[in-house]
Amino acid sequence: MVRLNTWGKRIIAAAAFLVIAVVTASVLWLWAQQWQPSGKYPIQGIDVSDDAGEIDWWSVQSAGADFAYVRATTGAAGRDMRFAVNWEELAKTRLRRGAMHRYSLCNSAVDQANNFNTTVPRTRAALPAAVELDFTDDCTARPEAKTLVEDLRRFLTMVEAHTGTPVLLKISRAFDRTYGVTSELRRPVWAVGNFFPPTYTARPWQIWQANDMRHIDGVDGSVHWDVVRP
């Protein structure tokens, strides 16, 4: 019988631990891809940009989505390559649709509002527009809080004149911590946080992005899975 020395035992133990860690990580990853909040939230949906590629919206609907937000614009000049197609295809399903703008700290608020308003058609049945507020690698500008809030207020006023409804503030924890947007601007809040309901906003959220790893039929790769507060 072969007797293992101390180092041999340590190597076997380390290998066993590594196998267990890999298996556990794989199980958790598969679980995360399928997880969505419970039936406590009867209205659930997704939000996507053109990174998702071509989408089969009928399959998305069959996967349990009630609504979809699609990115329309970014900054002062960026336009999502698939927005027009997604907007048209969504209209053919029973999914309610909404448009999003990704806000840039490096561009004028007026130019950004004009970009959104000239890209997104007035649609009576559309969900309220949403503005995505987060720090991004392509912009290092960090205006003072007072300036940022004033610029955002100008953006919101222009977009709301176009759409006729209050804009949703889809805001990250880091952005709200830095600028206090949800306490300064009285607009419906869309909070972000995987698996656990967020508590960082000054006012209760209306939409929660609950899982940014969700995989569903009709979309290659992951989507943001969102729920509406009952």
Side-chain angles (χ1 to χ4, degrees), residues 183-226:
S183 63
E184 294 293 330
L185 298 174
R186 298 191 63 80
R187 296 297 192 285
V189 174
W190 185 341
V192 177
N194 282 339
F195 312 127
F196 301 99
T199 58
Y200 61 85
T201 56
R203 288 175 291 103
W205 49 263
Q206 299 302 308
I207 298 181
W208 163 32
Q209 180 187 296
N211 186 357
D212 64 8
M213 295 176 275
R214 182 78 193 277
H215 282 236
I216 60 174
D217 290 341
V219 185
D220 290 332
S222 59
V223 300
H224 296 165
W225 191 262
D226 308 292

Side-chain angles (χ1 to χ4, degrees), residues 19-189:
V19 169
I20 292 171
V22 170
V23 171
T24 301
S26 299
V27 170
L28 288 174
W29 174 241
L30 291 173
W31 172 83
Q33 290 181 337
Q34 301 301 316
W35 183 85
Q36 67 183 73
S38 69
K40 174 182 177 181
Y41 304 101
I43 302 176
Q44 307 197 11
I46 68 171
D47 69 271
V48 297
S49 68
D50 58 9
D51 292 339
E54 185 175 357
I55 296 174
D56 180 347
W57 289 108
W58 292 103
S59 294
V60 171
Q61 180 178 283
S62 297
D66 303 297
F67 66 89
Y69 270 88
V70 291
R71 184 180 295 165
T73 49
T74 299
R79 296 189 174 186
D80 191 283
M81 292 184 297
R82 295 200 59 81
F83 171 71
V85 172
N86 284 331
W87 198 249
E88 182 179 348
E89 291 299 313
L90 274 167
K92 299 175 183 178
T93 71
R94 292 190 298 275
L95 291 167
R96 296 199 63 189
R97 55 183 176 163
M100 300 185 299
H101 173 80
R102 186 182 184 189
Y103 195 85
S104 173
L105 295 175
C106 288
N107 295 145
S108 152
V110 171
D111 291 343
Q112 295 190 66
N114 285 333
N115 186 24
F116 183 87
N117 290 347
T118 56
T119 301
V120 179
R122 286 189 178 93
T123 306
R124 180 175 298 178
L127 294 169
V131 57
E132 302 172 81
L133 301 169
D134 198 2
F135 298 114
T136 58
D137 294 335
D138 60 353
C139 175
T140 59
R142 296 294 182 268
E144 293 184 357
K146 181 179 179 180
T147 300
L148 181 277
V149 170
E150 290 175 352
D151 286 346
L152 264 179
R153 186 174 284 113
R154 187 173 297 110
F155 171 88
L156 295 172
T157 298
M158 292 178 65
V159 171
E160 289 166 355
H162 174 70
T163 62
T165 54
V167 172
L168 282 160
L169 305 176
K170 184 179 184 184
I171 189 166
S172 72
R173 181 188 301 272
F175 199 95
D176 203 33
R177 180 184 297 135
T178 301
Y179 289 114
V181 172
T182 60
S183 63
E184 294 293 330
L185 298 174
R186 298 191 63 80
R187 296 297 192 285
V189 174

